[in-house]
Amino acid sequence: MRVAIVGAGAVGRSIAGELLGNGHAVMLIEKNGAKVRTKAVPGAEWVQADACEVTALEEAHLASCDVVIAATGDDKANLVVSLLAKTEFAVNRVVARVKDPRNEWLYTEAWGVDVAVSTPRVLAALVEEAVTVGDVVRLMSFRKGAANLTEITLAEDTPWVGRPVREVPLPRETVLTAILRGERVITPSPDEPLEAGDELLFVMHGDVEEDLQEVLSGKRV
C-alpha cells in the first residue's frame, strides 16, 4: 500500500518505521521543518507542507494514497486532514489519532474518519484483556461502533467448555475470527472444541456485546 502519515513526531515516525518494515510505501507530511528528519526514517518520502491546505495535499499527490493516517498532536489538525483526505481526495481508508480523549466523540464519518485511535482507550483495553475472564473487552472500534474488535476469555464454569464452536448460538452480526490458546492462534472451524482459558476474538456490532456475554456465560443458551 501507499500510506501518507501526517505528523512526523515520535508517533508518526514510529508508525512509518513499522509500515516500511512491512513493505509499504510511506510518505511523511510535516509542517514543522525542525521535525523533518529524513535520516530518522530512511526509505520514507518526506514532504514539508501544511496538510490542512488543499493545495499542499494536491502537490503531495494525496489521491494516490490508499491510506491516510492523521497522527499529529493536534486534534483540530487531525480532523481537518481526515475530512480533506476523504472528501477532497477520496482516500479509501482514513485513520486518525485522538490526542485528547474528551474529543473522541468528534472522530466520526462526518469528519471523514474510518478508524479513531485513542491511546488511553487502547491501553485500558489491553489491561482489561490481560486480567479479565468472562467479560467482553472491546479492543478497537471501527466506524464508531458499527463494528468492534472484542475479546472474551472463557471461564472454567462456562457451559461451552468441551463443546464445538458450531453449537454456540452467537448473536446476530457477530463473527468469531480467532481463538488464542496458549501460544497458538487457531482458525475457528465449526468442529473446534472450546477450552477453559481460550481467548476468543470477535468482530461484531456494539449493540450485541451484552448478548454475547450472556451466551458465553451460560445465562442465555
Side-chain angles (χ1 to χ4, degrees), residues 73-101:
D74 185 330
D75 283 330
K76 296 187 294 295
N78 288 341
L79 288 169
V80 170
V81 167
S82 298
L83 184 62
L84 292 177
K86 185 65 71 173
T87 60
E88 297 295 326
F89 298 93
V91 175
N92 184 53
R93 192 72 165 169
V94 177
V95 180
R97 172 193 180 193
V98 181
K99 176 63 174 178
D100 187 338

Side-chain angles (χ1 to χ4, degrees), residues 102-122:
R102 292 174 297 181
N103 295 327
E104 189 172 2
W105 65 278
L106 289 167
Y107 285 73
T108 65
E109 288 185 6
W111 279 97
V113 178
D114 293 308
V115 179
V117 180
S118 171
T119 302
R121 180 179 293 277
V122 170

Side-chain angles (χ1 to χ4, degrees), residues 9-213:
V11 173
R13 294 196 304 272
S14 295
I15 297 170
E18 291 289 333
L19 291 172
L20 286 166
N22 290 333
H24 302 295
V26 175
M27 173 173 60
L28 279 161
I29 304 175
E30 174 56 53
K31 179 180 179 180
N32 185 349
K35 292 184 179 180
V36 178
R37 307 170 186 172
T38 56
K39 294 183 179 180
V41 190
E45 175 187 352
W46 287 79
V47 175
Q48 183 179 349
D50 185 349
C52 292
E53 296 182 359
V54 174
T55 53
L57 297 178
E58 288 175 345
E59 293 175 1
H61 303 291
L62 199 74
S64 67
C65 294
D66 302 293
V67 180
V68 167
I69 301 173
T72 77
D74 185 330
D75 283 330
K76 296 187 294 295
N78 288 341
L79 288 169
V80 170
V81 167
S82 298
L83 184 62
L84 292 177
K86 185 65 71 173
T87 60
E88 297 295 326
F89 298 93
V91 175
N92 184 53
R93 192 72 165 169
V94 177
V95 180
R97 172 193 180 193
V98 181
K99 176 63 174 178
D100 187 338
R102 292 174 297 181
N103 295 327
E104 189 172 2
W105 65 278
L106 289 167
Y107 285 73
T108 65
E109 288 185 6
W111 279 97
V113 178
D114 293 308
V115 179
V117 180
S118 171
T119 302
R121 180 179 293 277
V122 170
L123 290 175
L126 290 174
V127 170
E128 290 182 323
E129 184 271 336
V131 302
T132 303
V133 175
D135 292 331
V136 173
V137 177
R138 184 181 301 180
L139 300 177
M140 183 173 290
S141 293
F142 306 95
R143 299 185 182 274
K144 299 305 289 182
N148 296 324
L149 176 64
T150 60
E151 183 269 353
I152 187 167
T153 300
L154 284 183
E156 292 185 359
D157 59 354
T158 177
W160 306 111
V161 169
R163 297 170 68 176
V165 168
R166 57 182 161 77
E167 293 187 6
V168 182
L170 296 179
R172 61 180 176 81
E173 299 183 56
T174 301
V175 179
L176 176 61
T177 58
I179 301 173
L180 307 183
R181 183 177 297 154
E183 297 182 354
R184 298 176 60 199
V185 179
I186 300 171
T187 300
S189 67
D191 295 323
E192 179 67 36
L194 297 172
E195 297 182 8
D198 280 351
E199 295 181 49
L200 309 182
L201 295 179
F202 296 91
V203 175
M204 59 191 299
H205 196 284
D207 290 345
V208 296
E209 288 180 0
E210 185 175 340
D211 295 338
L212 176 64
Q213 185 163 328

